[in-house]
Amino acid sequence: MATWLAALATVAILLSYELALARGHRRRPEHLARTAHAQLREEWFAAVSAQKGSEILAVQTLRNSLMSATMTASTAALALMGTATLTAPSLHSAFGDTPGLPFFTVRLALEFVLMSLLFASLLSSVMAVRYYNHAGFISAMPVGSEARIRWSAAGKAYVRRAGILYSWGLRHLVLVAPILACIVHPAAGPAAAVGVVAVLVSFDRFGSKGELL
């Protein structure tokens, strides 16, 4: 029972913070770094779209962002494959051919949570790569051309979505740490969750003068 309580406390701490962050995003989005950075990317695209000769610079910037998202996706994919390999014996013992109800352990539940976070990170990062790729084609169009003007609104939306998805991919990787700590030792899970939340609070807030708090 103590092990289950520790695991539930770990998940509850992380989930409570994410729900509080989503609530704050609806009430005061201007105080969150996610909203500020999304606006930054939109203004960046508008700036390079208004400056002739910035096509190469824009493509290089998006290429760097695409490579970062690709690295995140690769990390999540490798971690997911490793976790699935390590979880296979637990799944076989819990849902094998043995008669009776499956034996659902705390470790197995945490492994499911771990795989869910890694899969969410992989999916978000892959979608970020997709949007960065589309935005790269738009940024490569000559500034002032008819095609660039026609696709400008889409390019602005693509860089915004790509940035948000990339941040989600990184965030899910960060949330993996408390789950891993809880698997190693149940008592370490809640402590690690509190530490991760304390770090995320400082990164998620945005100051009134444009600085991160």
Side-chain angles (χ1 to χ4, degrees):
M1 181 60 66
T3 305
W4 273 108
L5 290 176
L8 291 175
T10 302
V11 176
I13 291 171
L14 299 177
L15 186 60
S16 298
Y17 176 71
E18 291 300 319
L19 291 176
L21 187 65
R23 185 178 180 183
H25 181 74
R26 291 193 300 268
R27 290 187 172 184
R28 296 190 303 172
E30 68 278 3
H31 292 288
L32 295 180
R34 181 184 302 173
T35 304
H37 294 159
Q39 184 178 357
L40 169 64
R41 297 182 189 97
E42 288 185 344
E43 293 181 358
W44 169 84
F45 187 85
V48 296
S49 297
Q51 183 67 36
K52 291 186 177 181
S54 62
E55 296 85 357
I56 296 178
L57 176 62
V59 171
Q60 289 178 341
T61 303
L62 290 174
R63 182 184 62 184
N64 294 337
S65 300
L66 188 147
M67 291 178 63
S68 298
T70 303
M71 293 177 60
T72 305
S74 301
T75 302
L78 291 174
L80 182 60
M81 289 187 291
T83 304
T85 302
L86 295 175
T87 308
S90 300
L91 290 173
H92 181 72
S93 60
F95 301 97
D97 298 329
T98 56
L101 296 175
F103 186 63
F104 200 70
T105 63
V106 179
R107 181 182 179 87
L108 184 59
L110 291 173
E111 288 172 347
F112 274 129
V113 175
L114 180 61
M115 287 191 293
S116 299
L117 289 173
L118 291 173
F119 179 75
S121 177
L122 173 61
L123 183 61
S124 299
S125 301
V126 168
M127 292 302 296
V129 170
R130 174 178 179 268
Y131 282 118
Y132 276 133
N133 183 51
H134 294 332
F137 280 100
I138 298 174
S139 299
M141 295 177 180
V143 174
S145 64
E146 182 180 351
R148 179 65 175 262
I149 295 174
R150 185 170 63 251
W151 284 94
S152 180
K156 186 182 296 186
Y158 286 164
V159 294
R160 180 186 181 92
R161 294 175 186 174
I164 292 176
L165 288 167
Y166 174 67
S167 67
W168 284 353
L170 288 178
R171 190 177 198 85
H172 288 124
L173 283 182
V174 172
L175 296 180
V176 162
I179 305 300
L180 282 175
C182 195
I183 291 176
V184 174
H185 194 283
V194 172
V196 167
V197 167
V199 173
L200 289 177
V201 167
S202 62
F203 283 109
D204 290 332
R205 295 175 59 194
F206 192 81
S208 58
K209 296 182 180 181
E211 74 276 6
L212 285 173
L213 298 179

